[in-house]
């Protein structure tokens, strides 16, 4: 075991000790296999951590490469490089694993002498975290061997950009689920990431205490520049219930929302009177390079005509180039088709907090009796409204004043009674026996009678002024009505019939 | 009053509000408006006369040679009947202006919605309220402070009783899931937004309210979790001299999503008549699989305010059962909905020989292969006391991500009136378009033609008519909720 550790140590040290790869030719160990029987012959300082003797001097090459025995060479020992990404210490490993040979880490088991190479990270893992499946596995602990990227100042921007990506980071769902792991161990993230990594997507990067534990790094900023943000919809956002439930989530953990959304997102819909306290907790604007999830209202369409899309919100695809938001333009239906006709129950009970998204004027656009911005009834409703009015499928008086709206139109169309003496053959099926039927019709559909007839029309018979025919039904509670408004009685009665 | 006068009035009102907001140092003022214009045609029904000797038969009730019922008074020389009159038209214009201002101090804002009306053309048809040229729909100041919210001015009370407009004060207190609200002030007539003593009523009703009404109401709403809510509302409208009430009602509404179902109930009680105006109990599946359904019981009895005598005529209610079934597999562009209902009136204990039940059935088919295109078809039949109809529609709409929308609809309707002669079919075609010119301006228009054809030899008026509307929606000023680029 200790041999392996030492071998790992030796191999690990090599890349750390070398300057950037490709700028100098590495020492050809294999060609010197017959010359050097030990590693410490040249790397005498490694076990003790003596940097001055970690590599042989160039002059020692000239012992052979003097131009006579061997041609001269220009090899130079690599410059000592501190602050790499590794926190590895050869002396510690040598002390703790005295019987582990250098080749345990720097050569494969079947390699010939001096066929050495850099220590592979998996060999570190094999000893330090043997239960971990791989070097870049999620359950590995990066800080065992690595320092944070921002302190690894020796790494070039190119090497930072080329740092390997753990397989888990490419898995679906990682982007929306990585927050919990980050909170649990931000030091792990800090091995490869800086604030700029997070600010690529997180609109609240400068306010997030978790992200602020990371340092800032220009190399990372350069590496992420030009990369578009990723805003996959979290699993709960895809639920049909989300529209109903997101308010509670936003109220209690608005910081979660602020990861991708600014207050602007909320105000896309929440232009009404509600949810103001929740909106206050959201960041007013983005303060990072991230564009954030941008929402916009879907084109407003006819809510009655089911052939049109419901009012909804979509992720906007307009984010300026070069950013391209992924997983965008998804239509979210806040209200389903036909909701305009069924909204009453949800509005009355508070199931939907209408005021969160709508100003009162929105209600008044329809309930104010006049169509201003939206179409509630189909185009030829004037020709089809009678059955709905009789069956009270829709409560006409919820929006219209029966006298001012219905009767006014009926009168002008020639449908309403113009004066109390008017009789017509066209109405009530031209039946002479209508007089005997009308009582039943009136009690069943009195509201529709009132759209053509004034009260005085009925009072011709049903009042003390007229024929004194009693219009009250068997269950009529005269005392109750009189107690509420005795003046109503006096419209038909000369004096209050209940007065003693 | 001309269009210029209406425009000037509404614009002046908006300017005054905006100026007040500006002078007060508001940090934001937003003005939005909708200009809505319609073209409406109406075929009037006019009374005509014919010599009684020209009509076959005897007695008061006869029929013309063309099958039109005529009324002949005993021993009169002339009989009267109704026929289609000239086609009249109106082009009403609505100009809505909404002004909101904020930023004076924390939580303080102001909002006003005003409406101007007029109409073009004057061939005998005045669109309802077109001569009521100016209205303030609402205008209130609002102060939001933590759990409290207060409003002062003209505003709306909305809830299980419907939508009421009033001039007064409103206060809301919120504590976690509980919201308590109270309001009071001068009441305005529902659906008219005018005081009870408005002259608008005098023009069409002889017996009108003699006093202003004052409203007082309160509501408690409890929402223990996002899936459960209940609301209790009480409201009365009383006479200015406190001698009586125009109305006194209460509503209780509840909603809950539990056990994979959506449970809803709604009750409206009228204290004046000791009756339930509405009672609804509904249970529906809440998104379980591709098939959803609901069943509902409803009791409905009309409500009349006490300034009318209608409540004393003992109107009866009906009990109704409803059911719906929806089929829409996840990811499928096809969806089918079916619905049906049956109602039976209480015994009116008056008159005889009249239908006391009714039923309706219908279905929709919707095909939405993409967010941009949708096509639908629907069929509905409604048979009941008073009137019956059968209606078929097919429509399609194409909506571009830019907001450009084009749609069309064909319809065929058959009406059968129990209380009026006029059985016939109406074939219609409607085209609509909507174009967002820019983020602050949107134009919508539609136009349709409806051809009336009498059927089964029925006599009656011709309802052939054309319809069109044009809407202009525009916004000025900063929009706090436009979702624009940060």
């Amino acid at each position: 075991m200790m041999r392996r550790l030492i071998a790992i140590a030796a191999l690990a040290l090599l890349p750390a000790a070398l300057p950037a790869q490709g700028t100098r030719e590495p020492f050809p160990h294999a060609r010197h296999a017959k010359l050097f029987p030990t590693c410490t012959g040249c790397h005498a300082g490694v076990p003790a951590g003596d940097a001055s003797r970690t590599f042989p001097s160039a002059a020692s090459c000239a012992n052979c490469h003097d131009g006579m025995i061997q041609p001269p060479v220009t090899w130079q020992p690599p410059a000592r490089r501190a602050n790499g990404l590794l926190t590895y210490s050869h002396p510690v490993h040598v002390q703790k694993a005295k019987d582990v040979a250098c080749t345990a880490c720097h050569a494969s088991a079947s390699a010939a002498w001096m066929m050495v190479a850099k220590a592979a990270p998996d060999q570190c893992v094999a000893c330090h975290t043997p239960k971990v499946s791989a070097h870049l596995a999620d359950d590995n602990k990066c800080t065992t061997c690595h320092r944070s990227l921002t302190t690894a100042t020796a790494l070039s921007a190119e090497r930072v950009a080329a740092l390997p990506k753990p397989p888990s980071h490419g898995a679906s769902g990682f982007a929306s689920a990585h927050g919990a792991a980050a909170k649990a161990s931000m030091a792990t993230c800090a091995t490869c990431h800086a604030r700029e990594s997070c600010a690529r997507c997180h609109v609240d990067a400068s306010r997030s205490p978790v992200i602020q534990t990371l340092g800032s790094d220009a190399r990372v900023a350069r590496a992420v520049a030009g990369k578009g943000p990723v805003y996959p919809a979290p699993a709960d956002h895809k639920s049909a219930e989300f529209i109903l439930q997101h308010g509670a989530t936003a109220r209690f953990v608005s910081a979660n929302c602020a990861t991708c959304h600014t207050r602007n997102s909320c105000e896309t819909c929440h232009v009404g009177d509600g949810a103001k306290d929740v909106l206050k907790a959201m960041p007013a604007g983005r303060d990072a390079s991230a564009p954030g999830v941008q929402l916009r209202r879907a084109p407003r369409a006819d809510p009655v005509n089911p052939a049109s899309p419901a009012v909804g919100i979509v992720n906007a695809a307009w984010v300026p180039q070069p950013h391209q938001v992924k997983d965008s333009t998804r239509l979210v239906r806040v209200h389903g088709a036909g909701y305009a006709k069924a909204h009453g129950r949800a509005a009355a009970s508070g199931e939907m907090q209408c005021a969160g998204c709508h100003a009162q004027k929105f209600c008044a656009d329809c309930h104010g009796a006049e169509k201003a911005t939206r179409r509630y009834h189909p185009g030829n409703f004037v020709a089809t409204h009678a059955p709905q009015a009789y069956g009270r499928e829709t409560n006409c008086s919820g929006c219209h004043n029966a006298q001012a709206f219905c009767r006014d139109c009926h009168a002008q169309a020639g449908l309403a009674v113009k004066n109390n003496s008017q009789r017509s053959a066209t109405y009530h099926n031209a039946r002479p026996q209508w007089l005997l039927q009308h009582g039943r019709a009136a009690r069943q559909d009195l509201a529709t009678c009132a759209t053509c007839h004034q009260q005085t029309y009925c009072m011709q018979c049903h009042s003390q002024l007229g024929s004194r025919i009693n219009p009250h039904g068997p269950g009529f509670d005269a005392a109750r009505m009189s107690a509420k408004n005795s003046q109503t009685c006096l419209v038909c009665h000369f004096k209050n019939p209940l007065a003693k | 009053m001309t269009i210029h006068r209406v425009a000037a009035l509404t614009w002046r009102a908006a300017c005054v509000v905006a100026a007040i907001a500006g002078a007060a140092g508001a940090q934001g003022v937003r003005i939005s408006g909708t200009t809505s214009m319609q073209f409406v045609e109406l075929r009037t029904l006019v009374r005509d006369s014919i010599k009684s000797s020209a009509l076959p038969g005897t007695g008061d009730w006869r029929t013309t040679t063309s099958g039109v019922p005529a009324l002949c008074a005993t021993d009169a020389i002339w009989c009267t009947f109704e026929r289609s009159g000239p086609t009249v038209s109106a082009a009403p214009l609505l100009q809505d202006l909404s002004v909101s201002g904020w930023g004076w101090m924390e939580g303080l804002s102001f909002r006003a919605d005003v409406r101007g009306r007029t109409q073009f053309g004057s061939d005998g048809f005045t669109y309802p309220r077109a001569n009521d040229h100016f209205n303030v729909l609402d205008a209130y100041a609002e102060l939001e402070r933590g759990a409290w919210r207060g409003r002062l001015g003209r505003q709306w009370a909305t809830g299980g009783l419907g939508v009421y407009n009033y001039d007064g004060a409103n206060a809301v207190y919120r504590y976690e899931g509980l919201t308590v609200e109270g309001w009071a002030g001068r009441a305005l007539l529902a659906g008219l937004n005018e005081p009870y003593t408005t002259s608008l009523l005098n023009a069409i009703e002889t017996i009108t309210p003699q006093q202003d009404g004052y409203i007082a109401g309160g509501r408690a709403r409890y929402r223990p979790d996002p899936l459960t809510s209940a609301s209790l509302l009480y409201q009365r409208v009383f006479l200015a001299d406190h001698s009586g009430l125009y109305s006194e009602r209460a509503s209780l509404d509840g909603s809950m999503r539990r056990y994979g179902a959506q449970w809803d109930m709604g009750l409206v009680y009228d204290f004046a008549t000791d009756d339930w105006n509405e009672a609804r109990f509904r249970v529906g599946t809440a998104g379980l699989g591709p098939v959803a359904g609901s069943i509902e019981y409803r009791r409905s009895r009309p409500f009349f305010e006490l300034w009318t005598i209608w409540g004393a005529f003992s109107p009866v209610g009906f009990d109704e059962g409803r059911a719906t079934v929806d089929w829409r597999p996840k990811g499928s562009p096809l969806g089918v909905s079916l619905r049906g209902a049956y109602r039976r009136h209480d015994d009116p204990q008056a008159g005889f020989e009249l239908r006391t039940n009714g039923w309706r059935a219908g279905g929709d088919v919707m095909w939405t292969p993409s967010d941009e295109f949708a096509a639908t078809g629907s069929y509905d039949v409604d048979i009941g006391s008073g009137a019956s109809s059968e209606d078929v529609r097919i429509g399609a709409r194409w909506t571009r991500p830019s907001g450009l929308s084009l749609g069309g609809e064909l319809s065929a309707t058959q009406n059968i009136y129990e209380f009026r002669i006029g059985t016939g079919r109406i074939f219609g075609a409607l085209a609509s378009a909507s174009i967002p010119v820019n983020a602050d301006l949107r134009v919508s228009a539609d136009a349709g033609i409806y051809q009336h054809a009498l059927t089964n030899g029925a006599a009656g008026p011709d309802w052939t008519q054309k319809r069109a509307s044009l809407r202009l929606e525009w916004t000025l000023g900063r929009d706090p909720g436009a979702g624009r680029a940060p």
Side-chain angles (χ1 to χ4, degrees):
Chain A
M1 174 64 77
M2 292 309 288
R3 284 181 183 173
R4 293 178 67 188
L5 281 175
I6 291 173
I8 290 168
L11 284 172
L13 184 63
L14 283 175
L18 291 172
Q21 294 298 309
T23 58
R24 59 175 291 278
E25 189 177 343
F27 182 76
H29 281 87
R31 286 165 61 185
H32 298 79
K34 294 180 179 176
L35 290 176
F36 304 117
T38 64
C39 300
T40 51
C42 292
H43 305 289
V46 168
D50 180 358
S52 65
R53 295 192 298 141
T54 298
F55 293 98
S57 65
S60 61
C61 298
N63 290 338
C64 295
H65 294 277
D66 59 355
M68 292 183 290
I69 303 171
Q70 289 289 332
V73 293
T74 58
W75 182 85
Q76 289 290 325
R80 182 172 181 273
R81 194 180 64 176
N83 298 330
L85 199 54
L86 281 170
T87 55
Y88 178 79
S89 167
H90 269 111
V92 171
H93 282 78
V94 169
Q95 189 179 5
K96 289 186 176 177
K98 291 174 181 171
D99 55 346
V100 176
C102 302
T103 52
C105 295
H106 289 285
S108 63
S110 58
W113 174 246
M114 290 285 276
M115 291 290 287
V116 295
K118 289 193 292 184
D122 286 343
Q123 289 173 295
C124 308
V125 172
C127 293
H128 283 284
T129 48
K131 293 179 181 176
V132 170
S133 51
H135 168 225
L136 298 176
D138 274 0
D139 49 356
N140 206 349
K141 191 177 180 183
C142 306
T143 51
T144 304
C145 303
H146 296 288
R147 60 167 56 90
S148 69
L149 180 64
T150 52
T151 58
T153 53
L155 253 63
S156 66
E158 290 75 20
R159 290 201 63 196
V160 168
L163 285 171
K165 183 179 181 180
S168 64
H169 288 32
S172 64
F174 175 79
S176 55
H178 72 284
K183 280 180 189 171
S185 176
M186 202 57 180
T188 299
C189 307
T191 305
C192 300
H193 296 288
R195 281 179 205 167
E196 288 76 8
S197 309
C198 310
R200 178 181 143 207
C201 303
H202 288 253
V203 292
D204 64 338
S206 69
R207 283 187 296 268
S208 166
V210 178
I211 294 174
Q212 287 305 301
T213 61
L214 289 175
S216 179
D217 195 296
R219 297 163 300 173
V220 175
R222 187 175 151 191
V224 300
K227 285 188 179 179
V230 178
Y231 293 118
D236 63 340
H237 285 40
K238 296 174 182 172
S239 160
E241 311 276 297
F242 182 71
I243 289 294
L244 292 174
Q245 294 178 329
H246 82 282
T249 307
R251 186 175 295 276
F252 296 115
V253 283
S254 59
N256 282 4
C257 311
T259 301
C260 304
H261 297 280
T262 64
R263 196 181 298 168
N264 237 359
S265 291
C266 311
E267 289 175 339
T268 302
C269 288
H270 289 282
V271 295
D273 304 311
K276 286 182 177 173
D277 52 335
V278 181
L279 265 63
K280 275 183 189 170
M282 292 291 288
R286 66 193 176 97
D287 55 9
S289 56
V293 172
Q294 302 296 333
L295 307 179
R296 65 178 169 85
R297 285 172 185 264
R300 187 195 294 179
D302 185 343
V304 171
N305 179 0
S308 63
V311 174
I313 53 178
V314 294
N315 286 348
W318 53 259
V319 178
Q321 296 291 342
H323 296 309
Q324 283 295 328
V325 176
K326 297 176 183 175
D327 193 24
S328 65
T329 60
R330 196 167 55 84
L331 183 69
V332 180
R333 290 184 186 276
V334 179
H335 304 306
Y339 190 75
K341 297 216 169 192
H343 74 284
R345 59 177 182 79
S349 69
E351 177 199 358
M352 292 294 281
Q353 309 237 37
C354 310
C357 299
H358 302 290
Q360 284 198 318
K361 172 65 164 48
F362 186 85
C363 310
D365 279 347
C366 288
H367 288 283
E370 290 159 302
K371 179 178 66 179
T373 58
R374 284 178 297 282
R375 176 185 290 284
Y376 182 78
H377 298 305
N380 61 337
F381 187 69
V382 69
T384 62
H385 71 285
Q388 292 193 39
Y390 278 109
R392 299 203 281 279
E393 170 67 2
T394 309
N395 181 17
C396 306
S397 61
C399 299
H400 301 290
N401 183 282
Q403 283 78 18
F405 191 86
C406 307
R407 195 186 298 163
D408 185 13
C409 197
H410 286 175
Q412 293 192 67
L415 303 177
V417 177
K418 288 188 173 62
N419 56 65
N420 289 343
S421 61
Q422 181 179 335
R423 297 175 68 202
S424 167
T426 300
Y427 296 99
H428 308 309
N429 262 8
R431 291 178 181 171
Q433 68 270 28
W434 171 252
L435 193 62
L436 300 175
Q437 292 179 311
H438 86 282
R440 180 175 287 259
R443 283 192 177 155
Q444 285 186 179
D445 302 298
L446 195 53
T448 54
C449 302
T451 64
C452 291
H453 297 281
Q454 288 197 34
Q455 297 170 81
T456 50
Y457 189 86
C458 305
M459 286 169 60
Q460 292 176 95
C461 297
H462 298 293
S463 75
Q464 286 189 330
L465 299 167
S467 306
R468 305 171 70 97
I469 297 172
N470 181 9
H472 306 314
F476 178 67
D477 189 344
R480 189 182 189 93
M481 185 169 282
S482 175
K484 298 296 180 187
N485 190 342
S486 59
Q487 294 174 29
T488 305
C489 308
L490 299 178
V491 173
C492 298
H493 295 275
F494 290 132
K495 62 179 183 178
N496 190 339
L498 300 173
K500 293 179 181 175
Chain B
M1 184 177 280
T2 64
I3 174 67
H4 303 291
R5 174 91 173 118
V6 172
L9 266 175
T10 49
W11 181 247
R12 210 170 294 160
C15 289
V16 166
V17 174
I20 292 170
Q27 291 178 2
V29 175
R30 181 173 178 250
I31 304 174
S32 63
T34 303
T35 308
S36 170
M37 185 170 176
Q38 291 186 79
F39 173 75
V40 181
E41 265 189 1
L42 208 61
R43 193 75 185 266
T44 57
L45 199 65
V46 295
R47 174 166 286 205
D48 205 344
S49 59
I50 187 171
K51 272 194 170 180
S52 58
S53 56
L55 296 180
T58 57
D60 287 2
W61 301 83
R62 301 191 208 174
T63 305
T64 66
T65 50
S66 58
V68 177
L71 186 61
C72 306
T74 308
D75 300 330
I77 300 173
W78 297 94
C79 301
T80 58
F81 66 98
E82 271 81 17
R83 62 169 174 80
S84 290
T87 298
V88 295
S89 63
L93 174 74
L94 285 184
Q95 175 59 63
D96 278 11
L97 280 177
S98 297
V99 182
S100 50
W102 62 95
W104 296 280
M105 56 185 281
E106 185 183 352
L108 183 64
S109 60
F110 178 83
R111 183 175 179 98
D113 294 288
V114 297
R115 173 171 289 170
R117 304 182 191 85
T118 190
Q119 78 167 49
F120 297 105
S122 57
D123 58 0
F125 176 43
T126 304
Y127 194 77
R129 297 198 71 184
N131 286 330
D132 181 16
H133 296 296
F134 183 75
N135 255 166
V136 177
L137 302 180
D138 58 42
Y140 57 84
E142 177 182 302
L143 182 62
E144 181 102 23
R145 281 292 167 86
W148 289 92
R149 189 202 73 193
R151 278 186 187 157
L152 192 64
R154 177 166 291 188
Q155 56 197 301
W156 307 85
T158 58
L161 300 182
V163 177
Y164 283 80
N165 205 351
Y166 65 97
D167 297 319
N170 174 297
V172 175
Y173 174 72
R174 295 175 287 245
Y175 178 74
E176 295 185 347
L178 179 67
T179 304
V180 182
E181 183 176 5
W183 57 90
R186 185 178 69 152
L188 302 178
L189 275 169
L192 208 53
N193 307 324
E194 294 283 346
Y196 272 70
T197 50
T198 176
S199 59
L200 289 176
L201 278 183
N202 295 329
I204 45 179
E205 177 63 63
T206 311
I207 299 172
T208 56
Q210 298 302 303
Q211 297 184 39
D212 266 339
Y214 286 86
I215 193 171
R219 171 172 54 194
R221 178 176 282 175
Y222 185 52
R223 204 164 186 252
D225 60 67
L227 301 181
T228 310
S229 59
S231 178
L232 177 65
L233 188 154
Y234 170 84
Q235 179 178 285
R236 61 162 54 187
V237 179
F238 52 92
L239 276 65
D241 65 0
H242 299 273
S243 62
L245 301 171
Y246 284 138
S247 67
E248 183 182 20
R249 292 197 296 165
S251 69
L252 174 64
D253 296 272
S255 176
M256 181 175 74
R257 289 193 178 207
R258 288 284 187 281
Y259 318 115
Q262 168 82 41
W263 309 78
D264 295 300
M265 63 159 282
L267 300 170
V268 177
Y269 179 73
D270 184 358
F271 289 95
T273 57
D274 189 22
D275 273 311
W276 297 99
N277 294 143
E278 285 285 338
R280 291 172 180 259
F281 300 92
R282 178 182 175 278
V283 59
T285 57
L288 292 177
V291 179
S294 71
I295 54 172
E296 179 177 353
Y297 163 77
R298 178 193 180 202
R299 170 154 186 85
S300 177
R301 182 186 180 279
F303 157 73
F304 299 99
E305 290 195 316
L306 292 177
W307 64 266
T308 73
I309 59 172
W310 302 123
F313 281 55
S314 302
V316 298
F318 61 74
D319 298 293
E320 186 176 56
R322 300 177 170 203
T324 64
V325 178
D326 302 306
W327 176 81
R328 179 152 199 170
K330 192 174 183 181
S332 168
L334 190 67
V336 178
S337 300
L338 300 173
R339 53 187 168 270
Y342 177 81
R343 64 181 179 275
R344 177 174 287 281
H345 286 273
D346 296 342
D347 182 2
Q349 302 188 46
F352 59 91
E353 281 188 33
L354 209 62
R355 174 188 279 275
T356 57
N357 65 354
W359 59 273
R360 69 173 68 92
D364 296 320
V365 178
M366 182 182 287
W367 184 57
T368 49
S370 69
D371 283 340
E372 292 189 18
F373 183 80
T376 61
S378 71
Y379 170 80
D380 283 283
V381 58
D382 192 336
I383 307 292
S385 162
S388 302
S389 74
E390 206 173 359
D391 189 67
V392 182
R393 289 168 194 269
I394 55 170
R397 181 168 290 275
W398 178 64
T399 307
R400 295 285 299 150
S402 65
L404 170 67
S405 171
L406 300 171
E409 184 188 73
L410 298 173
S411 62
T413 306
Q414 175 170 271
N415 279 331
I416 305 164
Y417 295 110
E418 187 165 357
F419 303 143
R420 193 175 85 218
I421 301 299
T423 303
R425 288 181 184 150
I426 300 166
F427 299 97
L430 177 78
S432 60
S434 188
I435 306 164
V437 179
N438 57 44
D440 293 325
L441 177 62
R442 182 180 185 83
V443 182
S444 302
D446 59 55
I449 183 165
Y450 299 94
Q451 184 74 37
H452 189 201
L454 297 172
T455 55
N456 302 321
D462 183 350
W463 284 89
T464 297
Q465 57 189 286
K466 294 186 282 292
R467 296 262 165 163
S469 74
L470 175 69
R471 293 190 300 281
L472 220 65
E473 298 169 18
W474 50 267
T475 303
L476 292 176
R478 186 162 75 87
D479 185 350
R484 293 178 186 163

